[in-house]
Amino acid sequence: MYLSQRKLWKFFAVACGLLSLMTLFLLRLLSRSCKHEENKDFPTASMINNGHPPLHHVDRSTPLIFVGGFPRSGTTLMRAMLDAHPDIRCGQETRVIPKILMGISRIFSFVSEKEKQRREEAGVNQDLLDSAVAVLIGEIIAKHGDPAPRLCNKDPLTFRNLSYLARIFPKSKFVFMVRDGRAVVHSIMERGVVIRGVNNRRPEILLRTWNDATGEMNAQCVALGQSRCLRIPYEHLVLFPAESMEIILEFLDVSWNDAVVHHETMIGKPGGVILSSLEKSTDQVKEAVNLRALYKWSERLSSSLMEHTNRIAPVMRTLGYDTRIKWPDYRKMDSVVTKHNN
């Protein structure tokens, strides 16, 4: 199938833009390396932090934390609770990392076998490309906020490229947030959240989009394994916050700190939680963990959508959600949290 001339130009423009960005970051990295050699006798900020060196530089061996999932699935609450921990910094969404990953995947998918052979013959192999992308993403994560012993990124849709992120950052770990698809649809419509290419006024289309994207992310999470990808239902995070955070911090190899279940007390404080004035979730996340959003969808979605949920969104059952009733008992849903509680 041949691409139109317009699409080809668009593809090459994206490719050139991404390659230019990676070139600039590599040059910056080389420049910083030279400066470090000149000043190696002087202590840097990364050497002093009560015995826990904060990171302001990331390489492929850095144990990064990634928080993701479909929009309106509790990713902002999750990152705020992690941000409240003194050793973790997530910060606001970068909004650029998902676009970089999408552009890179397009570049790779449009390369013919012959072109790939020529590229590898020239020494431009997959490992070199992965390293260049890791430098670009790592610099953004490290430099868009304050340094911390553990750095974290929360851009929900990065999890569409979860397998690739896991490959370029082999010591990273992933917290995959999921939520009842019906609640996600209601929240997107109520809040006027815009997802490019999706009609956010058509609940059936939204639910189908949620199903396809969440199913894709879940498959990658399962393939990666429980040692690196942890799936947490939003419902269990708000129903069992302390138990959920205990499991999450143990998974991340981070010691317990009570601040994670009182994130609202750390908002705006130095080393605490910074919220965006432009993000749709801010007015909710600035409050203590609560159950107010748990069943809002039950009275506001059409009976027709409820009746056809199984057909439209089979991933709901895969994740353990009960689609048969209007007021499901989320406490009985299987997850790592409820298994731990039992």
Side-chain angles (χ1 to χ4, degrees), residues 289-302:
V289 176
N290 61 75
L291 308 179
R292 285 197 290 275
L294 210 54
Y295 289 105
K296 274 188 178 181
W297 60 270
S298 299
E299 297 294 341
R300 301 182 189 181
L301 293 180
S302 70

Side-chain angles (χ1 to χ4, degrees), residues 26-127:
L26 285 169
L27 288 171
R28 181 178 173 184
L29 202 63
L30 287 169
S31 172
R32 186 178 61 212
S33 176
C34 293
K35 288 179 182 178
H36 175 71
E37 285 300 313
E38 292 172 6
N39 300 287
K40 61 184 178 181
D41 293 330
F42 296 92
T44 65
S46 63
M47 296 178 188
I48 307 167
N49 187 38
N50 298 324
H52 299 284
L55 295 178
H56 220 158
H57 167 62
V58 168
D59 59 34
R60 294 185 66 178
S61 64
T62 302
L64 293 171
I65 301 165
F66 288 95
V67 176
F70 199 82
R72 307 304 299 170
S73 294
T75 55
T76 303
L77 176 61
M78 180 75 264
R79 82 89 174 162
M81 295 173 81
L82 289 174
D83 260 335
H85 195 291
D87 288 345
I88 300 174
R89 190 268 288 161
C90 297
Q92 302 172 51
E93 294 179 16
T94 71
R95 301 188 64 80
V96 71
I97 291 176
K99 294 178 175 66
I100 292 170
L101 292 169
M102 189 180 298
I104 291 296
S105 64
R106 285 176 181 169
I107 290 172
F108 290 164
S109 64
F110 278 102
V111 173
S112 67
E113 189 59 35
K114 185 176 181 181
E115 178 64 22
K116 184 180 177 183
Q117 289 173 359
R118 292 187 65 179
R119 191 179 67 189
E120 290 181 349
E121 188 178 280
V124 185
N125 56 31
Q126 190 65 54
D127 190 57

Side-chain angles (χ1 to χ4, degrees), residues 191-252:
R191 294 263 162 177
V193 175
V194 176
I195 301 174
R196 185 179 294 179
V198 180
N199 187 337
N200 69 347
R201 291 295 169 191
R202 296 280 301 277
E204 185 171 325
I205 291 174
L206 278 173
L207 187 58
R208 186 173 287 114
T209 301
W210 172 89
N211 179 80
D212 295 345
T214 302
E216 178 188 355
M217 295 179 203
N218 186 61
Q220 292 182 68
C221 183
V222 170
L224 191 56
Q226 292 183 358
S227 65
R228 292 194 62 196
C229 186
L230 184 68
R231 189 175 75 205
I232 298 289
Y234 162 80
E235 294 80 7
H236 288 172
L237 181 62
V238 297
L239 283 166
F240 314 109
E243 294 87 344
S244 296
M245 291 308 296
E246 182 183 348
I247 291 167
I248 291 163
L249 292 180
E250 184 178 347
F251 166 72
L252 297 174

